[in-house]
Amino acid sequence: MEKQVFAVGDRVDKLCAKCDEERGHVVTTVTKRGLISRVSCPHCSTVSTFKLSSRTSPRMALKTPSPYDRTLTYRAGQSMIHQMFGIGEVTKLIEPGKMDVLFEDHLRRLIHAQDR
Ligand SMILES: [Zn+2]
């Protein structure tokens, strides 16, 4: 049995039925026991119920993304490697200069398009 406790915003890998692709999902609701009940796909925004059996192991990136650089302007779907958080994929641009990035463990908000 898996004893891991999850929190909203954590990342979990599963097959998205809509994208027909295995990808990182963001946990949107958890039970009182810390088990995942719902996840959403950052790619197509589909919210689905989560079963442990549907979980897949994180896959290795096919190629190493470029290092995160806050002076660059990112687009949704772009990958990066962050010094502290590892490999992440931009899921959403929030407002000018801010974006949500799904890392291997958690969704994080980063700045981008900053002046030097
Ligand atoms: Zn999807």
Side-chain angles (χ1 to χ4, degrees), residues 68-85:
Y68 165 64
D69 183 344
R70 67 189 188 92
T71 64
L72 295 178
T73 301
Y74 288 89
R75 284 175 290 114
Q78 265 190 289
S79 296
M80 70 186 69
I81 186 156
H82 192 282
Q83 232 183 332
M84 288 173 70
F85 309 135

Side-chain angles (χ1 to χ4, degrees), residues 6 29 36 44 65-66 85 89 99 104 107:
F6 290 91
T29 53
I36 302 166
C44 64
S66 305
F85 309 135
E89 184 185 331
M99 59 182 173
E104 285 159 76
L107 187 71

Side-chain angles (χ1 to χ4, degrees), residues 50-70:
F50 184 84
K51 295 186 190 78
L52 271 181
S53 57
S54 63
R55 189 182 183 189
T56 57
S57 352
R59 59 191 163 148
M60 300 302 286
L62 295 175
K63 58 183 173 114
T64 307
S66 305
Y68 165 64
D69 183 344
R70 67 189 188 92

